[in-house]
Amino acid sequence: MPAAVSTVEEGLAAIAAGLAEDEMANARVLADDIVPLMPDLGAEGEHQILLSCQANIRIVVQLLRRPSVAGGGPVTGDDVPTPPPPPSETLRYMDMLVHRSLDVESLLDGYRVGHAALWRSCARIAFERVDDPTLLRPVLEATSEIVFRFINAALRRLREEYRSSRLAHLRWPTARKIAVIHDLLHLRTDPDPAELSMVLGYEVSRRNVGFVVRVEDDPSGSEAATAAVLAERIAALSPGSGRPLVLPTGGNSAWMWIAVTNPIDGPITPDYQLAISRLGEKVGATVGIGEPGDGLTGFRETHEQAQEALDTALRIGRPLARYGSVALISVLSSHPERARRMMRWYLGPLAGDTPANDRLRETLRMLLDTHLNQREAARRMRVHAHTVGYRLQRIEELLGCPVTERAIELHAALAIYDTLPSST
């Protein structure tokens, strides 16, 4: 039970406590309002926006806890703490926008929208924790002044930082490559492949596989270089793939394309994926891989697949995802709770986490993969065909219907069970 509030300082401290106690929930409220302003960044951008919101809330909490406001009198400029600069998480988000040729106004609009959402959270906490109606108004005024000053200073600083970073970026040799890739992906331009290959120093007309690499946030702010180096290491794990095209894309990520030398599957073998997963786990990275694509259209498509695979990997908490393996779950995981609800509905008792259900789900999965061929399922599982028959009978008893009536839905439900972590 929060202590009774009798002064403005105590009221500010109460609001700070409320923000800190539910930091993640409050950050998600802000992020949910900001994310729609940046639709082109996907889950990668959503993750960075959430980190930025958390960091900004922490700063506001610190400011609310150390004002010089005395008693319940009016708040003056001298009473309000000097606002610090925007947090490093926000600057890394800004760096992502710089590298991807996105306008700073989207970031500034996000700050304004976040300001409104943060103020609503502060007001809600104040009404919950400040019982004295004569004290509530000065507490809200002091809070408003502190939050406004911080946001206003942050907007000025971000505009200056963006301008400086943008000028530095344009002098960088890689900037030209990123600019033409941006036009190819977002403006859907169709440049001459020979000219594009000359600008990029990479042959785009071949069969290519796209990668998107993201590393965890580092207070040193060196993620962009780390992501690019990691992409080079991933390319080196694939023998005979040739020199990759690696583009640091700001914040904490890099894009990469490598040429396919194997006409069937390229470099994406199970052993290669395992090696990437181990490398990613070691350095705190997430990797999305597209499917091999031919020519300019394939160059664009495999990158977009890799981005979607990365988005899915971030949502489901895996170090690596290949598009062909997660395309279905990519659609479903955009609404994880709805997906889990669907899974529980179709699997029913089979959704229970027990050894017996593990065996039944494995059998159901194999039966669906073999089009209900019990002999083939038994062969693959190395059990007797009668065992598969008994298990199928049990599965249909638990489901309350024949498997054939819901084969597609059961396939999707099993994919959700296998891929999405349980909600807590």
Side-chain angles (χ1 to χ4, degrees):
M1 184 73 179
V5 173
S6 57
T7 67
V8 171
E9 282 189 320
E10 289 176 357
L12 297 177
I15 294 173
L19 290 174
E21 288 166 11
D22 295 318
E23 179 186 287
M24 178 56 74
N26 287 316
R28 288 194 184 281
V29 169
L30 270 63
D32 286 346
D33 283 354
I34 296 171
V35 163
L37 301 175
M38 298 302 302
D40 294 333
L41 293 181
E44 188 183 358
E46 292 176 21
H47 183 72
Q48 195 61 42
I49 289 171
L50 181 60
L51 292 175
S52 175
C53 290
Q54 283 184 274
N56 280 280
I57 285 176
R58 292 191 196 109
I59 290 178
V60 170
V61 167
Q62 293 171 1
L63 292 172
L64 291 172
R65 283 175 172 165
R66 57 179 178 84
S68 58
V69 179
V75 181
T76 67
D78 294 335
D79 296 325
V80 179
T82 302
S88 59
E89 290 84 352
T90 301
L91 295 177
R92 286 196 289 276
Y93 172 50
M94 181 202 72
D95 191 46
M96 183 184 296
L97 302 184
V98 169
H99 279 73
R100 302 188 189 187
S101 301
L102 298 174
D103 196 278
V104 69
E105 288 304 320
S106 58
L107 174 61
L108 302 183
D109 287 344
Y111 246 93
R112 297 180 186 106
V113 169
H115 178 199
L118 179 59
W119 169 245
R120 289 194 297 271
S121 294
C122 290
R124 172 183 53 78
I125 296 169
F127 277 99
E128 291 173 353
R129 303 195 177 195
V130 180
D131 295 327
D132 184 350
T134 62
L135 190 59
L136 183 60
R137 179 173 177 175
V139 167
L140 290 173
E141 289 176 345
T143 303
S144 176
E145 183 71 14
I146 290 170
V147 174
F148 171 77
R149 283 199 171 207
F150 167 59
I151 297 296
N152 199 40
L155 290 173
R156 290 197 302 270
R157 176 70 177 271
L158 286 170
R159 194 182 293 277
E160 294 168 1
E161 290 282 347
Y162 179 89
R163 185 182 299 111
S164 174
S165 296
R166 180 67 177 156
L167 289 173
H169 173 68
L170 291 175
R171 290 193 293 269
W172 190 32
T174 308
R176 170 60 176 156
K177 297 181 180 181
I178 294 175
V180 297
I181 291 294
H182 174 271
D183 291 349
L184 178 70
L185 298 176
H186 297 290
L187 303 183
R188 314 304 287 186
T189 59
D190 239 349
D192 177 72
E195 292 181 7
L196 179 61
S197 297
M198 186 176 297
V199 171
L200 297 177
Y202 178 87
E203 181 54 62
V204 300
S205 297
R206 296 175 294 186
R207 194 160 218 233
N208 297 290
V209 177
F211 295 72
V212 179
V213 180
R214 175 189 171 85
V215 298
E216 290 300 321
D217 294 293
D218 180 348
S220 69
S222 61
E223 298 85 2
T226 302
V229 170
L230 180 59
E232 296 271 7
R233 291 176 64 186
I234 289 172
L237 292 173
S238 175
S241 62
R243 181 68 181 168
L245 171 62
V246 177
L247 299 176
T249 54
N252 46 13
S253 65
W255 296 345
M256 178 173 72
W257 289 260
I258 62 176
V260 172
T261 54
N262 181 326
I264 298 176
D265 197 40
I268 318 175
T269 63
D271 287 344
Y272 183 50
Q273 293 181 69
L274 180 60
I276 295 174
S277 293
R278 288 173 175 169
L279 181 60
E281 289 173 344
K282 184 183 298 184
V283 300
T286 307
V287 181
I289 307 177
E291 299 299 321
D294 295 314
L296 197 58
T297 299
F299 182 87
R300 178 193 288 129
E301 184 74 13
T302 189
H303 168 77
E304 293 174 344
Q305 291 173 350
Q307 184 66 66
E308 187 171 340
L310 177 79
D311 291 352
T312 304
L314 289 170
R315 287 191 181 105
I316 65 180
R318 291 191 178 182
L320 177 141
R322 177 180 175 179
Y323 178 77
S325 301
V326 298
L328 173 63
I329 204 66
S330 170
V331 177
L332 296 173
S333 65
S334 59
H335 293 286
E337 285 309 316
R338 294 183 185 180
R340 294 188 190 97
R341 189 180 303 120
M342 188 195 91
M343 178 269 292
R344 291 191 295 267
W345 169 255
Y346 284 111
L347 291 185
L350 286 177
D353 188 15
T354 67
N357 280 337
D358 290 345
R359 288 190 295 272
L360 293 176
R361 283 192 303 272
E362 178 191 15
T363 303
L364 175 59
R365 190 178 297 106
M366 195 61 69
L367 284 166
L368 292 170
D369 288 344
T370 59
H371 305 285
L372 297 184
N373 185 324
Q374 295 185 36
R375 288 187 178 277
E376 177 61 17
R379 186 188 68 78
R380 295 187 187 183
M381 296 175 66
R382 298 182 180 179
V383 299
H384 198 280
H386 291 324
T387 301
V388 173
Y390 297 145
R391 290 181 184 175
L392 176 58
Q393 183 179 353
R394 179 60 177 156
I395 288 168
E396 293 186 336
E397 288 175 358
L398 293 172
L399 294 178
C401 69
V403 169
T404 52
E405 288 186 5
R406 295 179 176 175
I408 295 175
E409 292 87 348
L410 290 171
H411 250 306
L414 288 171
I416 295 166
Y417 183 93
D418 292 341
T419 310
L420 285 181
S422 300
S423 57
T424 55

